[in-house]
Amino acid sequence: MNINCPKCSNKRYWILKDGRLRCRKCRKTFTDPRQRIRVSRSVLRTVVQEFLLEHSTNTILSRVNISKYMLLKILTLIRMAMTQDVPQVFKGTVEVDETYLGGQWKNKRLSVKHANKGSGRGRGTSKQAVFGILCRSGKVWAELIDNIGKTEVQPLILKQVKKGSTVCYDTWKGYTGIAAKGYVHRLVNHSKNTYSDLKGNHINGLEGFWGYLKRKLAAKGGIRQERLHLYLGEYVWRYNYRKLNFKEQENRLITTIYQYIRSG
Ligand SMILES: [Zn+2]
């Protein structure tokens, strides 16, 4: 079970006597999001449908008889559940890559020190690093990282990719030494936006996902940095299940939400 602090997205917390949680890093006290949703299944289903259609909060509010406060709680719950619904371990041929997400966060606290040197500096922009893994079936796993560097990304590969797998990456040096950790490694050319597995099948590379993610985040606009992990989870989910039809997406998401609620 993973609960992120709503303020700093840290995953470690204390459980207080009254059942609320307190972040071990920034000390913010918050409620487990799973404990504060009291709506019927039919309302939840309607919200999920509207959410999948990417309707605005006000549009959704016009369709269900709940408060805006409750709707925002449900939307957070949906996104938290989505972040849990990812392939746990990848194997076979995978591609790894990293990028920076563009820079107009409402709260730049987390990444000010990694501010884009040069053009962005001093203009209130900052960039958030994100690392991704793509498996042959086209599914993506991604996580925000503090910094792009060997010490940041290699533990994530070790955690997320089975030993013996083939790890494809571009020429960046952060992946040197990965062979010594039990992986086959291969250089790919990301600029072509596709890479081929060892059987010669070309699949969409991570560049395709980065482009999708950046377009979606840009369209949202003004996301608070501390909530960025929730949106990353949402768009990883939408991308991974984009080939399901609407009903299949809806059913999968509702099942995931109830599993998430019960996991507490
Ligand atoms: Zn915190």
Side-chain angles (χ1 to χ4, degrees):
M1 142 176 129
N2 263 333
I3 297 172
N4 295 80
C5 166
K7 192 172 169 197
C8 75
S9 84
N10 178 42
K11 286 180 182 138
R12 289 166 55 81
Y13 51 83
W14 294 288
I15 300 173
L16 306 178
K17 276 181 190 161
D18 62 6
R20 288 183 303 161
L21 311 177
R22 177 167 291 158
C23 175
R24 288 189 183 226
K25 197 164 152 193
C26 73
R27 311 274 163 134
K28 180 177 172 64
T29 301
F30 59 100
T31 310
D32 181 337
R34 290 168 293 200
Q35 291 173 357
R36 43 187 192 198
I37 307 300
R38 283 183 214 92
V39 294
S40 68
R41 280 183 175 251
S42 67
V43 167
L44 184 67
R45 185 168 287 274
T46 304
V47 172
V48 164
Q49 290 166 343
E50 298 284 314
F51 172 84
L52 283 171
L53 292 166
E54 301 189 71
H55 287 165
S56 71
T57 306
N58 285 338
T59 303
I60 303 176
L61 272 178
S62 71
R63 310 257 155 92
V64 287
N65 187 24
I66 56 174
S67 67
K68 185 168 186 176
Y69 175 82
M70 181 54 73
L71 176 60
L72 295 178
K73 297 296 174 207
I74 295 173
L75 294 177
T76 297
L77 178 84
I78 292 174
R79 292 190 172 101
M80 291 183 92
M82 284 171 137
T83 64
Q84 311 290 306
D85 186 20
V86 287
Q88 285 311 297
V89 175
F90 285 146
K91 58 189 178 189
T93 302
V94 304
E95 182 196 359
V96 295
D97 193 22
E98 68 294 316
T99 190
Y100 284 102
L101 299 174
Q104 285 158 12
W105 315 114
K106 280 187 177 170
N107 178 342
K108 293 176 285 297
R109 178 177 47 79
L110 285 178
S111 66
V112 153
K113 62 177 184 280
H114 309 305
N116 184 23
K117 291 189 179 71
S119 62
R121 178 176 275 181
R123 301 186 58 192
T125 59
S126 63
K127 297 214 167 193
Q128 169 67 55
V130 54
F131 170 72
I133 306 173
L134 175 88
C135 73
R136 200 185 325 203
S137 67
K139 286 216 168 69
V140 167
W141 180 92
E143 195 160 291
L144 301 178
I145 54 177
D146 287 341
N147 213 340
I148 289 177
K150 198 171 165 176
T151 51
E152 286 270 344
V153 303
Q154 291 205 358
L156 296 175
I157 295 174
L158 285 168
K159 183 178 107 182
Q160 207 58 32
V161 183
K162 202 175 172 192
K163 295 233 170 127
S165 300
T166 299
V167 177
C168 301
Y169 54 94
D170 61 17
T171 53
W172 180 60
K173 292 194 280 294
Y175 302 108
T176 55
I178 201 77
K181 297 197 167 100
Y183 299 95
V184 180
H185 64 96
R186 221 155 62 88
L187 287 175
V188 291
N189 185 354
H190 285 316
S191 64
K192 286 180 182 163
N193 198 20
T194 60
Y195 81 104
S196 71
D197 61 25
L198 295 179
K199 290 174 183 160
N201 301 310
H202 283 269
I203 69 168
N204 241 345
L206 269 168
E207 284 292 331
F209 173 69
W210 297 144
Y212 166 86
L213 178 65
K214 287 171 185 179
R215 281 193 305 280
K216 289 294 189 182
L217 291 175
K220 279 273 174 204
I223 293 171
R224 288 184 180 279
Q225 180 131 19
E226 66 269 22
R227 294 181 59 79
L228 185 57
H229 71 279
L230 291 175
Y231 288 89
L232 178 66
E234 174 186 343
Y235 294 121
V236 165
W237 193 98
R238 287 184 187 273
Y239 190 82
N240 283 347
Y241 299 113
R242 67 196 182 280
K243 285 172 185 158
L244 299 183
N245 67 37
F246 188 79
K247 200 71 202 166
E248 289 167 339
Q249 288 183 351
E250 181 191 322
N251 289 336
R252 182 175 186 102
L253 189 47
I254 285 173
T255 304
T256 300
I257 292 164
Y258 280 110
Q259 275 171 356
Y260 179 65
I261 291 171
R262 279 194 298 269
S263 73

